[in-house]
Amino acid sequence: MPILRLDRFISNNTEYSRSQIKDLIKHNRVLVDNVVVKKSDIKVDTERSNILVDGKTISEFGLRYYMMYKPSGVVCSTDDSKSTTVIDLLPENLKDKNLFPAGRLDKDSEGFVLLTNDGDFSHKILSAKNHVAKYYIVRLARPFQADYIEKFSKGIELSNGEVCLPSRVIQWEGSQYYAVIELYEGKYHQIKRMFASVGNHVEYLFRFQIGNLALNQNLTKGSVLEVLHKELPEILKNTDTKFFEKDFQTKISSFITNIEL
Ligand code: URA
């Protein structure tokens, strides 16, 4: 039976340090078999006990989250006989950890894909009712028209009659061929079909942010960076008021100018 001190087991399998774990315990955030734990040095049977931190089960590998900069030509799936998948791009030590993409980008789209082994979290960020925004930059074949703003805000009807949730779209201040769109759902080829409905065409699509967490601009195409547990609330944060803020515009400009779009 693998018996270990609780704080050692948590620190081995999460990013928390021993002192942070003490603090978590002090604030009743650690449960073993549904009982709030008061001491960090208790011994636990790591195979049989259910150890929860903030409601999340900690297991041997733990629940992990990685930010990937997906390049074009790669599919957001765990297995594909014809194309390279996001899993193929992972470093060897992460390939067999049951990670999967939480949401999809098209094969020819690029940008932020979250890879995780946490099904609940994935569901949370994908379900429209949880209101986690995804932000995309698109390069258009024809100039952005001012009436897109109202049309998108009313809910675009796609060519097959499906109606999208209301969404916000703005033209990037630097060019009439670039737009930024906020979505709370993920229908098949949604953005491409939305712009097709208003008579335009998406030439290039790049996701730069999920919730309030932006793609790290030091990441190179195809590489990954671990997203720490303490950063997860950023992903879930309500970003309604951020869209029109100056900082958001600065961020968009920085992505458009630093990343080859
Ligand atoms: N909408 C699209 O059309 N494609 C993507 O990859 C993401 C959103």
Side-chain angles (χ1 to χ4, degrees):
M1 261 189 322
I3 304 288
L4 221 60
R5 268 177 65 133
L6 177 65
D7 51 1
R8 172 174 284 262
F9 177 72
I10 297 176
S11 71
N12 284 352
N13 293 294
T14 68
E15 78 274 13
Y16 294 115
S17 64
R18 292 282 181 101
S19 67
Q20 286 172 322
I21 294 165
K22 256 206 169 86
D23 203 54
L24 290 170
I25 289 176
K26 193 168 141 205
H27 291 97
N28 299 333
R29 291 164 63 186
V30 180
L31 273 72
V32 174
D33 296 331
N34 288 328
V35 178
V36 173
V37 170
K38 291 291 177 198
K39 289 172 81 184
S40 57
D41 62 355
I42 61 163
K43 298 278 196 315
V44 286
D45 175 345
T46 61
E47 256 173 24
R48 292 180 190 200
S49 303
N50 184 21
I51 298 158
L52 297 174
V53 174
D54 286 340
K56 292 205 170 288
T57 300
I58 309 301
S59 54
E60 259 333 316
F61 175 66
L63 294 169
R64 304 275 179 127
Y65 313 83
Y66 296 88
M67 164 189 289
M68 174 178 278
Y69 179 175
K70 183 187 108 56
S72 166
V74 173
V75 293
C76 274
S77 118
T78 51
D79 192 23
D80 193 290
S81 56
K82 291 192 211 96
S83 307
T84 306
T85 69
V86 285
I87 304 302
D88 295 329
L89 298 184
L90 287 172
E92 283 310 315
N93 64 325
L94 295 179
K95 279 197 167 84
D96 61 349
K97 301 296 191 217
N98 296 323
L99 296 168
F100 59 87
R104 282 163 191 262
L105 282 180
D106 295 339
K107 188 172 177 180
D108 62 351
S109 300
E110 300 199 316
F112 186 173
V113 171
L114 187 77
L115 292 161
T116 183
N117 55 357
D118 185 344
D120 288 344
F121 190 75
S122 169
H123 179 71
K124 214 182 231 174
I125 66 170
L126 295 179
S127 161
K129 76 176 189 325
N130 289 316
H131 208 64
V132 174
K134 327 285 179 314
Y135 295 95
Y136 306 81
I137 294 166
V138 290
R139 193 178 67 234
L140 299 168
R142 288 175 275 283
F144 185 90
Q145 303 296 313
D147 66 356
Y148 294 172
I149 298 172
E150 200 192 336
K151 286 180 173 161
F152 279 55
S153 76
K154 286 188 169 151
I156 291 280
E157 183 174 341
L158 303 175
S159 58
N160 65 348
E162 257 184 289
V163 179
C164 300
L165 289 175
S167 64
R168 297 191 288 187
V169 66
I170 40 171
Q171 184 201 308
W172 176 50
E173 55 202 8
S175 162
Q176 54 187 348
Y177 289 93
Y178 283 96
V180 178
I181 175 163
E182 176 187 62
L183 285 194
Y184 287 96
E185 58 180 343
K187 299 186 194 300
Y188 181 66
H189 292 334
Q190 181 163 344
I191 296 177
K192 292 172 183 161
R193 291 159 74 208
M194 288 169 90
F195 278 99
S197 291
V198 294
N200 212 318
H201 173 74
V202 172
E203 288 184 337
Y204 179 78
L205 190 149
F206 179 85
R207 178 159 67 197
F208 65 98
Q209 186 162 316
I210 301 177
N212 199 37
L213 189 69
L215 183 71
N216 184 309
Q217 291 201 46
N218 294 321
L219 269 182
T220 53
K221 282 187 194 180
S223 58
V224 285
L225 185 69
E226 184 160 10
V227 176
L228 303 178
H229 286 236
K230 64 184 175 205
E231 295 175 291
L232 298 181
E234 282 303 309
I235 295 184
L236 300 174
K237 205 178 246 175
N238 185 315
T239 44
D240 282 353
T241 59
K242 306 249 176 208
F243 196 60
F244 297 111
E245 283 175 10
K246 183 96 194 73
D247 284 359
F248 198 72
Q249 288 296 325
T250 311
K251 184 173 355 187
I252 294 163
S253 295
S254 141
F255 274 108
I256 294 181
T257 49
N258 291 337
I259 292 179
E260 328 143 35
L261 299 175

